[in-house]
Amino acid sequence: MSESVLSIEGLRHDIGSRQLFASMELDIQAGRSVAITGPSGSGKSTLLSCVLGLVRPAAGSIKVAGMEMAKLSGRHLAEHRSAHIGMVFQFGELLPELSPVDNVALAALLAGVGKEQAYEQASDLLQQLGVAEAETCQHLSGGERQRTAVARALINKPSLLLADEPTGALDTETREKVADVLFSTPQRYGCGLLLVTHDHAVAARADQVLTLRNGVLGTEAVTP
């Protein structure tokens, strides 16, 4: 049986008088992908923030790579997050004035990897993901920027890859290419993938599709 890289048990979180999560349960194993859909405001992005340790829930347990996130704070939380979680945002969030390899290597350098090793690993990842060399990320297409963002998220060999609407700003053809890359990562790199999206066609490519509604995760038929 594969190792559990994300375990959520009894998660509850309130915003004011509104209960956003009600005793939520979720388990993701290495090599597997889970997509979460749901209406705007249902809490999909907040769930990722809870997993990252940026939002502290009212109750319940969130374990990433076996470590309870609520028990970590400050430097220890940052170190665990850097070592075990990679994050891909909707708009990439790259530093546009830097080259793709600089953007990817920077994540490794911040994690304490030596410069030569960081740049070698960054170059290898970008080559694997089909990103061409460029002086700055401003010269990249939308798809290349997102693949660079995926490379940056993978550089520290995370246990868990998170993706928040990673194809939301892309055209249909580019969306499919980026989705190909994302959903190949669990098997290719041995991590778990948790992706939240409004796009049912993208969600349908995951090993498991869940819908977040009224604070509860449930299965629902998804039509691509």
Side-chain angles (χ1 to χ4, degrees):
M1 186 174 181
S2 297
E3 172 190 4
S4 178
V5 295
L6 173 63
S7 177
I8 297 177
E9 298 179 353
L11 182 66
R12 184 172 66 81
H13 184 60
D14 306 319
I15 296 180
S17 60
R18 178 191 173 202
Q19 188 175 67
L20 194 62
F21 305 138
S23 193
M24 181 183 290
E25 308 282 331
L26 178 64
D27 185 84
I28 301 178
Q29 297 177 349
R32 302 286 291 175
S33 60
V34 173
I36 296 178
T37 65
S40 296
S42 59
K44 299 186 299 297
S45 293
T46 301
L47 175 60
L48 296 187
S49 293
C50 288
V51 173
L52 287 163
L54 301 175
V55 171
R56 296 299 173 103
S61 169
I62 300 176
K63 292 181 180 179
V64 175
M67 181 64 69
E68 176 63 63
M69 298 299 284
K71 293 182 179 179
L72 300 173
S73 61
R75 178 174 60 85
H76 297 293
L77 175 60
E79 289 176 350
H80 190 72
R81 187 189 296 135
S82 177
H84 292 286
I85 303 177
M87 182 75 204
V88 181
F89 300 93
Q90 179 174 354
F91 297 105
E93 304 296 336
L94 301 173
L95 296 172
E97 68 277 12
L98 297 183
S99 69
V101 71
D102 286 335
N103 267 279
V104 177
L106 180 59
L109 292 170
L110 291 173
V113 177
K115 184 176 180 179
E116 183 176 349
Q117 183 180 357
Y119 273 86
E120 182 179 344
Q121 292 176 348
S123 296
D124 287 346
L125 265 175
L126 289 168
Q127 186 175 18
Q128 289 173 33
L129 298 181
V131 180
E133 294 183 11
E135 290 186 8
T136 72
C137 287
Q138 294 169 324
H139 294 92
L140 299 180
S141 67
E144 287 174 325
R145 284 194 293 271
Q146 282 301 74
R147 293 200 298 275
T148 300
V150 173
R152 182 185 58 188
L154 291 170
I155 187 70
N156 293 324
K157 299 179 176 63
S159 305
L160 176 67
L161 182 64
L162 304 177
D164 190 357
E165 296 286 359
T167 61
L170 304 175
D171 61 64
T172 301
E173 182 179 355
T174 306
R175 178 194 69 182
E176 292 303 311
K177 291 179 180 178
V178 170
D180 286 343
V181 169
L182 280 168
F183 287 107
S184 72
T185 56
Q187 289 295 324
R188 191 172 183 180
Y189 298 101
C191 60
L193 170 64
L194 174 60
L195 178 145
V196 303
T197 182
H198 285 98
D199 191 327
H200 285 188
V202 170
R205 301 179 63 163
D207 295 317
Q208 183 180 21
V209 181
L210 300 172
T211 299
L212 178 57
R213 195 181 301 273
N214 298 324
V216 177
L217 282 175
T219 57
E220 183 174 305
V222 174
T223 303

